[in-house]
Amino acid sequence: MLQANSCRSCAIRHTGICSGCGANDLRLLEKARYIRSYDAGQPIAWCGDRMEFVASVMHGSVSLSQTMKDGRNQMVGLLMPPSFLGQPGQESSPYDVVAVDYTVLCCFCRNQFGDLMKEFPHLTDRLLEMSLRELDAARQWLLVLGCKLAREKTASFLAVLASREAVAKALPRTRRIAFDLTISREAIAACLGLTMETVSRQITALKNDGIIQLKSARRIVVPDVNRLLREAGDVPAAPDEGDRAISAIA
Amino acid sequence: MLQANSCRSCAIRHTGICSGCGANDLRLLEKARYIRSYDAGQPIAWCGDRMEFVASVMHGSVSLSQTMKDGRNQMVGLLMPPSFLGQPGQESSPYDVVAVDYTVLCCFCRNQFGDLMKEFPHLTDRLLEMSLRELDAARQWLLVLGCKLAREKTASFLAVLASREAVAKALPRTRRIAFDLTISREAIAACLGLTMETVSRQITALKNDGIIQLKSARRIVVPDVNRLLREAGDVPAAPDEGDRAISAIA
DNA sequence: CGCAGAATTGATACATCTCAAGCTGGGTGG
DNA sequence: CCACCCAGCTTGAGATGTATCAATTCTGCG
């Protein structure tokens, strides 16, 4: 898992920060990169720590969160492949960064990556694209936190995961979709601005109403994503429409 | 106000998207740009509308908001000079875009601006910088919406405006700061995920506690920003520290 | 002066949090 | 193989913060 396979066969070769690179550029990137892996729950950086690197998330997922003095905390980003972690111009991490899953990062020394961006403008272009996408996702998430009820928040969260799964497996979005929750109820609560107990109650309620099924506490089946989206307070996307709601949260 | 003064004397010449431009580049930008102005409350685009242009906010302020079918709505961005409005690669607006104030925009035909970015990479660099800053602001805002109580939310909002005013007037952040609320209680509520009534109550409470003074409903005086920040649940920034909290919301 | 929109204030309803008590399932050691 | 244990999850009852609905009161402006 950890070994440095060739960039050419990398899972995010055509979707990550490097997707605009030709074969030659890629060789230079490959020389500069190094792989790091983290176990589930392992911290990558605490808020204020110096960030030595920026990285692509190759596998797993990484949470960005903020904590207040009294312990209240809010997840503000959930990065999954092929998201990019860190900002070239940013000395220290503004967030607590934690590996949620077993996670593999493709890292670049931060300053060196800045130089690479100068050398290969398409890296800058791509980072801009990805950042604007993240920005839209964060703004979608603001709607969830600011306006929605607990049931709608929970449904929104599950809909995001279901839609992601559908995209990953190239399933039609109307078909039954099954996936694993890789994060605890508590982490979901931190995403949604709720408590663990409320999340648990809402998941149970959605199950009782037949919107979802629970194979186990962490295994979810969604018979009809559009029904789930309706519970989330979202207008189900037309079949052929590029779905924006899906991008929310991550 | 509306007339097209020279870029050279523009208020946001050194802070906007064009801040990296030399005199020659600037001349080309100046040929491509056009000025539009909007009255307070006037819509700039509704969600789903085709966006003909991207623009720098030169004067006033622009809100980005989302509305659910049943009327609940959430402001997800509040752009003030020298923020940049729109994304070159984005056909249609994902948000309702409204001029909050009397607002002046420095506009570029969207496709043409894409070409300019190819021609002048520093435009791309600068847009990336500004977008990453917006992303951090949005994430700060997620903390406010997800974790904070009504009083803390309200204090956070006022602290942002106060700090912005302090920066604009180059005041020390510990001194007394006065500013106008350019938006209604209802708009503040839409920012904070609260109702108008709750915002009103919290402002009154902050006044009664001596945290702020009200010269009129729209005129605020903050005797001590650090005290306000403490009410907001934020750790007051050290005097010499680059203040991140300030960037929240806008 | 008087009006209309904005803001404030009050009383009640409701959603979610809090605190506390069980439950469940996977792992460990006897 | 079973009893135990523990962390994660679920469920319950009461407290709390905010929304809702309904009156006023303020403010700017014609």
Side-chain angles (χ1 to χ4, degrees):
Chain A
M1 207 44 133
L2 201 154
Q3 91 231 28
N5 287 318
S6 156
C7 281
R8 283 179 20 232
S9 60
C10 171
I12 62 172
R13 165 71 181 92
H14 298 292
T15 54
I17 189 79
C18 51
S19 64
C21 289
N24 289 331
D25 306 357
L26 203 60
R27 264 190 289 279
L28 271 164
L29 251 65
E30 189 156 9
K31 262 191 219 147
R33 72 148 195 195
Y34 56 98
I35 304 295
R36 301 192 65 160
S37 69
Y38 299 85
D39 289 329
Q42 197 178 343
I44 296 173
W46 297 115
C47 182
D49 283 0
R50 182 177 168 75
M51 283 296 280
E52 302 295 346
F53 59 84
V54 295
S56 286
V57 180
M58 290 175 66
H59 180 89
S61 50
V62 173
S63 73
L64 311 178
S65 61
Q66 303 194 82
T67 304
M68 292 171 67
K69 286 188 306 295
D70 60 8
R72 282 176 283 176
N73 89 312
Q74 174 66 46
M75 196 180 293
V76 299
L78 184 56
L79 309 181
M80 304 200 179
S83 291
F84 192 76
L85 169 64
Q87 301 181 191
Q90 201 165 56
E91 283 277 321
S92 62
S93 174
Y95 313 110
D96 296 330
V97 184
V98 177
V100 176
D101 272 326
Y102 170 77
T103 294
V104 182
L105 300 182
C106 171
C107 306
F108 299 87
C109 167
R110 199 165 51 76
N111 295 325
Q112 196 176 355
F113 194 78
D115 298 339
L116 284 167
M117 283 173 64
K118 280 188 199 107
E119 195 169 350
F120 305 126
H122 54 74
L123 283 178
T124 305
D125 296 345
R126 182 74 184 117
L127 183 55
L128 176 59
E129 274 177 30
M130 294 173 78
S131 301
L132 290 173
R133 206 184 160 72
E134 282 289 325
L135 181 56
D136 279 334
R139 286 173 168 163
Q140 202 71 32
W141 197 345
L142 282 170
L143 178 72
V144 173
L145 286 188
C147 288
K148 293 192 177 178
L149 300 174
R151 182 185 175 93
E152 295 169 323
K153 287 181 176 181
T154 308
S156 295
F157 183 83
L158 295 175
V160 170
L161 295 188
S163 299
R164 177 196 306 287
E165 181 73 13
V167 170
K169 297 250 177 81
L171 294 170
R173 295 199 37 257
T174 48
R175 272 274 304 290
R176 168 197 151 94
I177 298 170
F179 59 92
D180 282 308
L181 287 176
T182 58
I183 66 180
S184 67
R185 300 289 188 269
E186 196 162 12
I188 297 173
C191 274
L192 298 177
L194 298 170
T195 58
M196 187 186 57
E197 293 92 332
T198 299
V199 171
S200 180
R201 279 184 245 273
Q202 299 305 329
I203 288 180
T204 301
L206 288 170
K207 181 191 69 178
N208 291 339
D209 296 346
I211 312 291
I212 62 172
Q213 295 156 24
L214 285 181
K215 294 303 173 190
S216 75
R218 297 285 190 109
R219 180 77 186 168
I220 306 281
V221 176
V222 179
D224 179 353
V225 176
N226 282 335
R227 187 135 166 253
L228 185 59
L229 280 172
R230 233 170 286 122
E231 291 299 324
D234 293 336
V235 182
D240 57 338
E241 194 182 328
D243 18 27
R244 282 205 326 119
I246 289 168
S247 70
I249 296 181
Chain B
M1 208 44 133
L2 201 152
Q3 91 230 28
N5 286 318
S6 154
C7 281
R8 282 180 20 232
S9 60
C10 171
I12 61 172
R13 164 70 180 92
H14 298 291
T15 53
I17 189 81
C18 50
S19 64
C21 288
N24 290 330
D25 305 357
L26 203 60
R27 265 191 288 279
L28 271 165
L29 249 66
E30 190 157 9
K31 262 192 219 145
R33 71 145 195 198
Y34 56 97
I35 303 295
R36 302 192 65 161
S37 69
Y38 299 85
D39 289 331
Q42 196 179 342
I44 297 174
W46 297 116
C47 182
D49 283 0
R50 181 177 168 75
M51 283 296 279
E52 303 293 348
F53 60 84
V54 294
S56 286
V57 180
M58 291 176 66
H59 179 89
S61 50
V62 172
S63 74
L64 311 178
S65 61
Q66 303 194 81
T67 303
M68 292 172 66
K69 286 187 306 297
D70 59 10
R72 282 176 284 177
N73 89 311
Q74 174 66 46
M75 197 180 293
V76 299
L78 183 56
L79 308 180
M80 304 201 178
S83 291
F84 193 76
L85 169 64
Q87 302 180 188
Q90 202 166 53
E91 284 277 323
S92 63
S93 174
Y95 313 109
D96 296 331
V97 184
V98 177
V100 175
D101 272 324
Y102 170 76
T103 294
V104 182
L105 301 182
C106 170
C107 307
F108 299 87
C109 167
R110 198 165 51 77
N111 294 325
Q112 197 176 353
F113 194 79
D115 297 340
L116 285 167
M117 283 172 63
K118 279 188 199 107
E119 195 169 349
F120 305 126
H122 53 74
L123 283 178
T124 305
D125 296 345
R126 182 77 184 115
L127 183 56
L128 176 60
E129 275 177 29
M130 294 173 77
S131 301
L132 289 174
R133 205 182 160 72
E134 282 288 326
L135 181 56
D136 278 334
R139 285 174 169 164
Q140 202 71 30
W141 197 343
L142 283 170
L143 178 71
V144 173
L145 287 187
C147 287
K148 293 192 179 181
L149 301 174
R151 181 185 175 94
E152 296 169 323
K153 287 180 176 181
T154 308
S156 296
F157 183 82
L158 295 175
V160 170
L161 295 188
S163 300
R164 178 197 308 287
E165 182 73 12
V167 170
K169 298 249 176 82
L171 295 170
R173 294 199 38 253
T174 49
R175 272 275 303 291
R176 169 195 149 95
I177 298 170
F179 59 93
D180 283 307
L181 286 176
T182 57
I183 66 179
S184 68
R185 300 287 188 270
E186 196 163 10
I188 297 173
C191 274
L192 299 176
L194 298 171
T195 59
M196 188 187 53
E197 292 93 331
T198 298
V199 170
S200 180
R201 280 185 243 273
Q202 298 304 329
I203 288 180
T204 301
L206 288 170
K207 182 191 67 178
N208 292 339
D209 295 347
I211 313 291
I212 62 173
Q213 295 156 23
L214 286 180
K215 294 303 171 189
S216 75
R218 297 282 189 112
R219 179 78 185 167
I220 306 279
V221 177
V222 179
D224 179 352
V225 176
N226 282 334
R227 185 135 170 253
L228 186 58
L229 280 172
R230 233 170 286 124
E231 291 299 324
D234 293 336
V235 182
D240 58 337
E241 195 182 328
D243 18 27
R244 283 208 325 121
I246 290 168
S247 69
I249 297 182

